[in-house]
Short mmCIF file of all heavy atoms in Angstrom, two decimals:
data_model
loop_
_atom_site.label_atom_id
_atom_site.label_comp_id
_atom_site.label_asym_id
_atom_site.label_seq_id
_atom_site.Cartn_x
_atom_site.Cartn_y
_atom_site.Cartn_z
N MET A 1 0.85 -36.50 -0.24
CA MET A 1 -0.11 -36.00 -1.15
C MET A 1 -0.81 -37.02 -2.09
O MET A 1 0.04 -37.84 -2.58
CB MET A 1 0.44 -34.85 -1.97
CG MET A 1 0.60 -33.60 -1.34
SD MET A 1 1.08 -32.30 -2.56
CE MET A 1 1.62 -31.00 -1.43
N LYS A 2 -2.01 -36.94 -2.18
CA LYS A 2 -2.76 -37.87 -3.08
C LYS A 2 -2.51 -37.47 -4.47
O LYS A 2 -2.32 -36.31 -4.88
CB LYS A 2 -4.18 -37.83 -2.73
CG LYS A 2 -4.44 -38.31 -1.39
CD LYS A 2 -5.91 -38.36 -1.06
CE LYS A 2 -6.07 -38.77 0.40
NZ LYS A 2 -7.41 -38.61 0.87
N SER A 3 -2.37 -38.47 -5.39
CA SER A 3 -1.98 -38.18 -6.71
C SER A 3 -3.12 -38.19 -7.81
O SER A 3 -2.73 -38.16 -8.99
CB SER A 3 -0.98 -39.32 -7.23
OG SER A 3 -1.49 -40.51 -7.06
N LYS A 4 -4.30 -38.35 -7.34
CA LYS A 4 -5.46 -38.27 -8.21
C LYS A 4 -6.72 -37.71 -7.53
O LYS A 4 -6.82 -37.80 -6.26
CB LYS A 4 -5.72 -39.68 -8.83
CG LYS A 4 -6.18 -40.71 -7.84
CD LYS A 4 -6.54 -41.99 -8.55
CE LYS A 4 -7.06 -42.98 -7.58
NZ LYS A 4 -7.35 -44.28 -8.26
N CYS A 5 -7.58 -37.18 -8.35
CA CYS A 5 -8.85 -36.59 -7.84
C CYS A 5 -9.73 -37.77 -7.34
O CYS A 5 -9.87 -38.85 -7.96
CB CYS A 5 -9.61 -35.86 -8.93
SG CYS A 5 -11.22 -35.39 -8.56
N GLU A 6 -10.34 -37.58 -6.19
CA GLU A 6 -11.19 -38.71 -5.54
C GLU A 6 -12.48 -38.78 -6.24
O GLU A 6 -13.25 -39.82 -6.10
CB GLU A 6 -11.34 -38.31 -4.13
CG GLU A 6 -10.10 -38.51 -3.31
CD GLU A 6 -10.32 -38.31 -1.87
OE1 GLU A 6 -11.34 -38.63 -1.28
OE2 GLU A 6 -9.38 -37.68 -1.12
N ARG A 7 -12.84 -37.87 -7.16
CA ARG A 7 -14.16 -37.91 -7.76
C ARG A 7 -13.94 -38.46 -9.18
O ARG A 7 -14.67 -39.25 -9.67
CB ARG A 7 -14.73 -36.44 -7.83
CG ARG A 7 -16.11 -36.51 -8.44
CD ARG A 7 -16.76 -35.12 -8.26
NE ARG A 7 -18.12 -35.16 -8.77
CZ ARG A 7 -18.48 -34.90 -9.96
NH1 ARG A 7 -17.48 -34.54 -10.88
NH2 ARG A 7 -19.72 -34.88 -10.45
N CYS A 8 -13.08 -37.85 -9.98
CA CYS A 8 -12.94 -38.17 -11.40
C CYS A 8 -11.67 -39.02 -11.73
O CYS A 8 -11.50 -39.30 -12.92
CB CYS A 8 -13.02 -36.99 -12.31
SG CYS A 8 -11.59 -35.90 -12.21
N ASP A 9 -10.81 -39.24 -10.80
CA ASP A 9 -9.51 -40.00 -11.00
C ASP A 9 -8.54 -39.21 -11.86
O ASP A 9 -7.54 -39.85 -12.29
CB ASP A 9 -9.78 -41.44 -11.58
CG ASP A 9 -10.42 -42.29 -10.52
OD1 ASP A 9 -10.16 -42.06 -9.35
OD2 ASP A 9 -11.15 -43.20 -10.93
N LYS A 10 -8.63 -37.92 -12.10
CA LYS A 10 -7.60 -37.11 -12.85
C LYS A 10 -6.28 -37.26 -12.07
O LYS A 10 -6.29 -37.06 -10.91
CB LYS A 10 -8.07 -35.75 -12.95
CG LYS A 10 -7.07 -34.79 -13.73
CD LYS A 10 -7.55 -33.42 -13.80
CE LYS A 10 -6.42 -32.60 -14.40
NZ LYS A 10 -6.92 -31.13 -14.44
N LYS A 11 -5.24 -37.52 -12.87
CA LYS A 11 -3.94 -37.39 -12.17
C LYS A 11 -3.47 -36.01 -11.76
O LYS A 11 -3.74 -35.07 -12.45
CB LYS A 11 -2.86 -38.01 -13.17
CG LYS A 11 -3.04 -39.40 -13.34
CD LYS A 11 -1.88 -39.97 -14.30
CE LYS A 11 -2.04 -41.48 -14.56
NZ LYS A 11 -0.95 -42.03 -15.27
N LEU A 12 -2.94 -35.90 -10.63
CA LEU A 12 -2.65 -34.61 -10.00
C LEU A 12 -1.03 -34.71 -9.56
O LEU A 12 -0.74 -35.56 -8.85
CB LEU A 12 -3.42 -34.36 -8.81
CG LEU A 12 -4.91 -34.23 -9.01
CD1 LEU A 12 -5.65 -34.20 -7.72
CD2 LEU A 12 -5.32 -32.99 -9.88
N GLN A 13 -0.32 -33.85 -10.26
CA GLN A 13 1.03 -33.83 -9.76
C GLN A 13 1.31 -32.95 -8.57
O GLN A 13 0.59 -31.94 -8.45
CB GLN A 13 1.88 -33.28 -11.02
CG GLN A 13 1.73 -33.95 -12.26
CD GLN A 13 2.35 -35.34 -12.22
OE1 GLN A 13 3.47 -35.61 -11.53
NE2 GLN A 13 1.74 -36.31 -12.83
N ALA A 14 2.24 -33.29 -7.76
CA ALA A 14 2.52 -32.48 -6.51
C ALA A 14 3.06 -31.07 -6.81
O ALA A 14 2.79 -30.22 -6.09
CB ALA A 14 3.67 -33.20 -5.69
N GLU A 15 3.66 -30.88 -7.97
CA GLU A 15 4.15 -29.53 -8.17
C GLU A 15 3.16 -28.68 -8.99
O GLU A 15 3.37 -27.45 -9.27
CB GLU A 15 5.41 -29.63 -9.03
CG GLU A 15 5.39 -30.26 -10.46
CD GLU A 15 5.43 -31.79 -10.30
OE1 GLU A 15 5.73 -32.37 -9.26
OE2 GLU A 15 5.35 -32.45 -11.46
N GLN A 16 1.94 -29.14 -9.27
CA GLN A 16 0.86 -28.43 -9.93
C GLN A 16 -0.07 -27.88 -8.93
O GLN A 16 -0.33 -28.43 -7.80
CB GLN A 16 0.18 -29.30 -10.92
CG GLN A 16 0.94 -29.76 -12.15
CD GLN A 16 0.21 -30.76 -13.11
OE1 GLN A 16 -0.62 -31.49 -12.52
NE2 GLN A 16 0.41 -30.59 -14.27
N SER A 17 -0.76 -26.81 -9.30
CA SER A 17 -1.70 -26.21 -8.36
C SER A 17 -3.16 -26.55 -8.77
O SER A 17 -4.12 -25.92 -8.31
CB SER A 17 -1.47 -24.75 -8.26
OG SER A 17 -1.71 -24.12 -9.57
N ASP A 18 -3.36 -27.55 -9.61
CA ASP A 18 -4.70 -27.96 -10.06
C ASP A 18 -5.39 -28.89 -9.09
O ASP A 18 -5.81 -29.97 -9.54
CB ASP A 18 -4.67 -28.48 -11.44
CG ASP A 18 -6.01 -28.71 -12.05
OD1 ASP A 18 -6.97 -28.05 -11.69
OD2 ASP A 18 -6.15 -29.67 -12.98
N ALA A 19 -5.29 -28.63 -7.77
CA ALA A 19 -5.89 -29.53 -6.89
C ALA A 19 -6.42 -28.78 -5.64
O ALA A 19 -5.87 -27.79 -5.28
CB ALA A 19 -4.95 -30.59 -6.29
N CYS A 20 -7.50 -29.26 -4.97
CA CYS A 20 -8.02 -28.63 -3.87
C CYS A 20 -8.16 -29.77 -2.74
O CYS A 20 -8.42 -30.86 -3.11
CB CYS A 20 -9.41 -28.13 -4.18
SG CYS A 20 -9.40 -26.74 -5.37
N ILE A 21 -7.97 -29.31 -1.49
CA ILE A 21 -8.16 -30.24 -0.37
C ILE A 21 -8.94 -29.60 0.68
O ILE A 21 -9.24 -28.39 0.76
CB ILE A 21 -6.77 -30.53 0.27
CG1 ILE A 21 -6.06 -29.26 0.71
CG2 ILE A 21 -5.77 -31.29 -0.76
CD1 ILE A 21 -4.78 -29.51 1.52
N CYS A 22 -9.41 -30.58 1.53
CA CYS A 22 -10.23 -30.11 2.78
C CYS A 22 -9.25 -30.29 3.96
O CYS A 22 -8.05 -30.77 3.79
CB CYS A 22 -11.43 -30.92 3.04
SG CYS A 22 -11.19 -32.58 3.48
N SER A 23 -9.76 -30.04 5.17
CA SER A 23 -8.87 -30.04 6.38
C SER A 23 -8.39 -31.47 6.60
O SER A 23 -7.32 -31.77 7.30
CB SER A 23 -9.47 -29.49 7.60
OG SER A 23 -10.69 -30.21 7.83
N TYR A 24 -9.09 -32.53 6.04
CA TYR A 24 -8.82 -33.91 6.28
C TYR A 24 -7.83 -34.37 5.04
O TYR A 24 -7.60 -35.60 4.92
CB TYR A 24 -9.94 -34.75 6.41
CG TYR A 24 -10.69 -34.58 7.61
CD1 TYR A 24 -11.80 -33.79 7.74
CD2 TYR A 24 -10.18 -35.20 8.85
CE1 TYR A 24 -12.54 -33.58 8.94
CE2 TYR A 24 -10.85 -34.98 10.08
CZ TYR A 24 -11.95 -34.16 10.15
OH TYR A 24 -12.69 -33.95 11.28
N GLU A 25 -7.51 -33.50 4.11
CA GLU A 25 -6.68 -33.77 2.91
C GLU A 25 -7.43 -34.64 1.90
O GLU A 25 -6.73 -35.37 1.10
CB GLU A 25 -5.37 -34.35 3.31
CG GLU A 25 -4.53 -33.28 4.19
CD GLU A 25 -3.08 -33.78 4.44
OE1 GLU A 25 -2.59 -34.74 3.76
OE2 GLU A 25 -2.46 -33.20 5.36
N CYS A 26 -8.76 -34.66 1.90
CA CYS A 26 -9.43 -35.21 0.80
C CYS A 26 -9.01 -34.41 -0.45
O CYS A 26 -8.95 -33.16 -0.32
CB CYS A 26 -10.90 -35.25 1.04
SG CYS A 26 -11.52 -36.10 2.49
N THR A 27 -8.84 -34.94 -1.58
CA THR A 27 -8.22 -34.28 -2.58
C THR A 27 -9.06 -34.33 -3.92
O THR A 27 -9.54 -35.56 -4.30
CB THR A 27 -6.88 -34.85 -2.93
OG1 THR A 27 -6.04 -34.83 -1.72
CG2 THR A 27 -6.11 -34.19 -4.08
N PHE A 28 -9.21 -33.30 -4.54
CA PHE A 28 -10.11 -33.18 -5.80
C PHE A 28 -9.47 -32.23 -6.70
O PHE A 28 -8.77 -31.30 -6.39
CB PHE A 28 -11.53 -32.61 -5.43
CG PHE A 28 -12.24 -33.54 -4.41
CD1 PHE A 28 -12.19 -33.22 -3.08
CD2 PHE A 28 -12.90 -34.66 -4.83
CE1 PHE A 28 -12.81 -34.10 -2.07
CE2 PHE A 28 -13.49 -35.48 -3.86
CZ PHE A 28 -13.48 -35.17 -2.55
N CYS A 29 -9.63 -32.46 -8.06
CA CYS A 29 -9.10 -31.55 -9.03
C CYS A 29 -9.95 -30.18 -8.93
O CYS A 29 -10.98 -30.15 -8.45
CB CYS A 29 -9.18 -32.09 -10.42
SG CYS A 29 -10.78 -32.41 -11.14
N THR A 30 -9.36 -29.17 -9.42
CA THR A 30 -10.03 -27.89 -9.29
C THR A 30 -11.46 -27.89 -10.05
O THR A 30 -12.32 -27.27 -9.56
CB THR A 30 -9.19 -26.78 -9.86
OG1 THR A 30 -7.88 -26.73 -9.13
CG2 THR A 30 -9.79 -25.43 -9.81
N ALA A 31 -11.45 -28.60 -11.12
CA ALA A 31 -12.67 -28.61 -12.03
C ALA A 31 -13.78 -29.25 -11.14
O ALA A 31 -14.96 -28.73 -11.05
CB ALA A 31 -12.48 -29.34 -13.31
N CYS A 32 -13.58 -30.37 -10.50
CA CYS A 32 -14.58 -30.98 -9.57
C CYS A 32 -14.91 -30.20 -8.46
O CYS A 32 -16.07 -30.06 -8.02
CB CYS A 32 -14.10 -32.39 -9.10
SG CYS A 32 -14.08 -33.64 -10.50
N ALA A 33 -13.85 -29.65 -7.78
CA ALA A 33 -14.06 -28.90 -6.54
C ALA A 33 -14.80 -27.55 -6.76
O ALA A 33 -15.74 -27.26 -5.87
CB ALA A 33 -12.67 -28.50 -5.92
N THR A 34 -14.60 -26.91 -7.75
CA THR A 34 -15.41 -25.66 -7.98
C THR A 34 -16.67 -25.95 -8.81
O THR A 34 -17.53 -25.05 -8.76
CB THR A 34 -14.52 -24.64 -8.74
OG1 THR A 34 -14.06 -25.17 -10.07
CG2 THR A 34 -13.23 -24.24 -8.05
N GLY A 35 -16.75 -27.00 -9.56
CA GLY A 35 -17.92 -27.29 -10.38
C GLY A 35 -18.95 -28.06 -9.49
O GLY A 35 -19.71 -27.53 -8.73
N ALA A 36 -18.99 -29.37 -9.70
CA ALA A 36 -20.06 -30.21 -9.15
C ALA A 36 -20.01 -30.19 -7.59
O ALA A 36 -21.11 -30.29 -7.03
CB ALA A 36 -19.78 -31.69 -9.64
N LEU A 37 -18.87 -30.06 -6.94
CA LEU A 37 -18.79 -30.11 -5.48
C LEU A 37 -19.05 -28.68 -4.89
O LEU A 37 -19.27 -28.65 -3.74
CB LEU A 37 -17.49 -30.65 -5.05
CG LEU A 37 -17.22 -32.06 -5.54
CD1 LEU A 37 -15.76 -32.50 -5.04
CD2 LEU A 37 -18.16 -33.01 -4.97
N GLN A 38 -19.03 -27.67 -5.70
CA GLN A 38 -19.32 -26.30 -5.28
C GLN A 38 -18.50 -25.91 -4.05
O GLN A 38 -19.06 -25.23 -3.16
CB GLN A 38 -20.76 -26.12 -5.04
CG GLN A 38 -21.58 -26.34 -6.27
CD GLN A 38 -23.08 -26.14 -6.02
OE1 GLN A 38 -23.51 -25.78 -4.90
NE2 GLN A 38 -23.86 -26.29 -7.12
N GLY A 39 -17.20 -26.41 -3.92
CA GLY A 39 -16.33 -25.90 -2.83
C GLY A 39 -16.51 -26.60 -1.52
O GLY A 39 -16.00 -26.22 -0.53
N VAL A 40 -17.33 -27.76 -1.52
CA VAL A 40 -17.57 -28.42 -0.27
C VAL A 40 -17.15 -29.80 -0.51
O VAL A 40 -17.53 -30.57 -1.43
CB VAL A 40 -19.09 -28.27 0.08
CG1 VAL A 40 -19.40 -29.17 1.31
CG2 VAL A 40 -19.51 -26.92 0.31
N CYS A 41 -16.43 -30.33 0.55
CA CYS A 41 -15.91 -31.83 0.48
C CYS A 41 -17.16 -32.72 0.74
O CYS A 41 -17.91 -32.52 1.69
CB CYS A 41 -14.93 -32.02 1.56
SG CYS A 41 -14.37 -33.78 1.66
N PRO A 42 -17.38 -33.73 -0.18
CA PRO A 42 -18.49 -34.57 -0.08
C PRO A 42 -18.24 -35.57 1.10
O PRO A 42 -19.24 -36.23 1.59
CB PRO A 42 -18.54 -35.35 -1.42
CG PRO A 42 -17.12 -35.30 -1.83
CD PRO A 42 -16.59 -34.00 -1.50
N ASN A 43 -16.98 -35.73 1.53
CA ASN A 43 -16.71 -36.66 2.67
C ASN A 43 -17.02 -36.18 4.05
O ASN A 43 -17.47 -36.85 4.89
CB ASN A 43 -15.27 -37.14 2.51
CG ASN A 43 -15.01 -37.83 1.26
OD1 ASN A 43 -15.83 -38.46 0.70
ND2 ASN A 43 -13.84 -37.54 0.65
N CYS A 44 -16.62 -34.91 4.35
CA CYS A 44 -16.66 -34.28 5.65
C CYS A 44 -17.47 -33.00 5.61
O CYS A 44 -17.64 -32.40 6.69
CB CYS A 44 -15.22 -34.03 6.27
SG CYS A 44 -14.35 -32.75 5.33
N GLN A 45 -17.87 -32.44 4.46
CA GLN A 45 -18.68 -31.25 4.35
C GLN A 45 -17.80 -30.06 4.70
O GLN A 45 -18.20 -28.86 4.82
CB GLN A 45 -19.86 -31.25 5.24
CG GLN A 45 -20.82 -32.43 5.12
CD GLN A 45 -21.22 -32.67 3.61
OE1 GLN A 45 -21.67 -31.77 2.92
NE2 GLN A 45 -20.92 -33.88 3.18
N GLY A 46 -16.54 -30.17 4.73
CA GLY A 46 -15.54 -29.12 4.94
C GLY A 46 -15.36 -28.25 3.72
O GLY A 46 -15.59 -28.65 2.54
N LYS A 47 -14.77 -27.07 3.80
CA LYS A 47 -14.40 -26.25 2.75
C LYS A 47 -13.19 -26.74 1.88
O LYS A 47 -12.19 -27.18 2.53
CB LYS A 47 -14.10 -24.85 3.28
CG LYS A 47 -13.81 -23.80 2.12
CD LYS A 47 -13.59 -22.44 2.74
CE LYS A 47 -13.32 -21.46 1.70
NZ LYS A 47 -13.07 -20.13 2.26
N LEU A 48 -13.32 -26.64 0.62
CA LEU A 48 -12.19 -27.08 -0.28
C LEU A 48 -11.42 -25.85 -0.71
O LEU A 48 -12.07 -24.90 -1.12
CB LEU A 48 -12.70 -27.84 -1.52
CG LEU A 48 -13.36 -29.15 -1.20
CD1 LEU A 48 -14.06 -29.69 -2.51
CD2 LEU A 48 -12.40 -30.26 -0.79
N VAL A 49 -10.09 -25.89 -0.43
CA VAL A 49 -9.23 -24.84 -0.74
C VAL A 49 -8.06 -25.30 -1.74
O VAL A 49 -7.78 -26.50 -1.70
CB VAL A 49 -8.63 -24.15 0.54
CG1 VAL A 49 -9.76 -23.56 1.37
CG2 VAL A 49 -7.80 -25.18 1.34
N GLU A 50 -7.37 -24.37 -2.31
CA GLU A 50 -6.23 -24.77 -3.15
C GLU A 50 -5.22 -25.49 -2.32
O GLU A 50 -4.76 -25.04 -1.27
CB GLU A 50 -5.69 -23.55 -3.87
CG GLU A 50 -4.59 -23.88 -4.77
CD GLU A 50 -4.08 -22.65 -5.52
OE1 GLU A 50 -4.77 -21.66 -5.58
OE2 GLU A 50 -2.83 -22.72 -5.99
N ARG A 51 -4.72 -26.62 -2.91
CA ARG A 51 -3.71 -27.43 -2.21
C ARG A 51 -2.37 -26.67 -2.34
O ARG A 51 -2.10 -26.27 -3.41
CB ARG A 51 -3.63 -28.80 -2.79
CG ARG A 51 -2.61 -29.68 -2.20
CD ARG A 51 -2.56 -31.09 -2.78
NE ARG A 51 -2.05 -31.12 -4.14
CZ ARG A 51 -1.95 -32.10 -4.88
NH1 ARG A 51 -2.44 -33.38 -4.40
NH2 ARG A 51 -1.44 -32.13 -6.12
N PRO A 52 -1.65 -26.55 -1.24
CA PRO A 52 -0.24 -25.89 -1.27
C PRO A 52 0.60 -26.81 -2.06
O PRO A 52 0.51 -28.07 -2.05
CB PRO A 52 0.13 -25.77 0.12
CG PRO A 52 -0.71 -26.78 0.87
CD PRO A 52 -1.99 -26.93 0.12
N SER A 53 1.53 -26.16 -2.88
CA SER A 53 2.56 -26.92 -3.55
C SER A 53 3.63 -27.33 -2.70
O SER A 53 4.04 -26.72 -1.70
CB SER A 53 2.96 -26.21 -4.82
OG SER A 53 3.60 -25.08 -4.49
N ARG A 54 4.38 -28.34 -3.00
CA ARG A 54 5.66 -28.79 -2.39
C ARG A 54 6.78 -28.05 -2.98
O ARG A 54 6.87 -27.80 -4.17
CB ARG A 54 5.90 -30.27 -2.43
CG ARG A 54 4.91 -31.09 -1.70
CD ARG A 54 5.35 -32.46 -1.58
NE ARG A 54 4.54 -33.26 -0.70
CZ ARG A 54 4.38 -34.55 -0.64
NH1 ARG A 54 5.15 -35.18 -1.44
NH2 ARG A 54 3.69 -35.14 0.24
N VAL A 55 7.77 -27.77 -2.13
CA VAL A 55 9.07 -27.16 -2.57
C VAL A 55 9.91 -28.28 -3.13
O VAL A 55 10.05 -29.33 -2.52
CB VAL A 55 9.70 -26.49 -1.40
CG1 VAL A 55 11.09 -25.94 -1.82
CG2 VAL A 55 8.86 -25.42 -0.76
N GLN A 56 10.35 -28.04 -4.31
CA GLN A 56 11.24 -29.00 -5.01
C GLN A 56 12.58 -28.98 -4.45
O GLN A 56 13.12 -27.88 -4.33
CB GLN A 56 11.19 -28.83 -6.49
CG GLN A 56 9.94 -29.23 -7.11
CD GLN A 56 10.00 -29.02 -8.64
OE1 GLN A 56 10.96 -28.66 -9.13
NE2 GLN A 56 8.84 -29.52 -9.30
N ALA A 57 13.15 -30.17 -4.02
CA ALA A 57 14.59 -30.19 -3.55
C ALA A 57 15.49 -29.83 -4.78
O ALA A 57 15.30 -30.32 -5.84
CB ALA A 57 14.87 -31.52 -3.00
N GLY A 58 16.53 -29.32 -4.42
CA GLY A 58 17.44 -29.01 -5.61
C GLY A 58 18.48 -28.21 -5.38
O GLY A 58 19.45 -27.92 -5.90
#
C-alpha cells in the first residue's frame, strides 16, 4: 500500500480509511479524490473507491 497521496503528499496510514484507490492502486487521500479529482483517477481515468484496510496481526 502506498503511504502518501499522489496529489498532495498527505501521509496515509494502512490502518486508516482516509484513502481512495483505482484498479491500478493509484492512491489519493479522500479530500483529493472526492474534491479536485471528482472520483476519477488522473492517471488511468478509472473510478476511485475507498481503499480497503489491512487486518492487523495480533
Side-chain angles (χ1 to χ4, degrees):
M1 280 191 193
K2 295 179 184 168
S3 60
K4 66 179 182 176
C5 175
E6 292 181 36
R7 184 170 183 273
C8 72
D9 289 331
K10 176 182 177 180
K11 290 185 180 184
L12 303 169
Q13 302 293 327
E15 63 275 357
Q16 292 177 326
S17 63
D18 187 29
C20 294
I21 60 171
C22 70
S23 61
Y24 291 100
E25 297 185 19
C26 299
T27 305
F28 302 94
C29 69
T30 301
C32 287
T34 59
L37 299 178
Q38 299 180 359
V40 178
C41 177
N43 302 323
C44 69
Q45 307 309 307
K47 181 178 179 181
L48 293 170
V49 297
E50 184 178 337
R51 180 176 74 181
S53 60
R54 286 192 174 162
V55 176
Q56 293 184 351

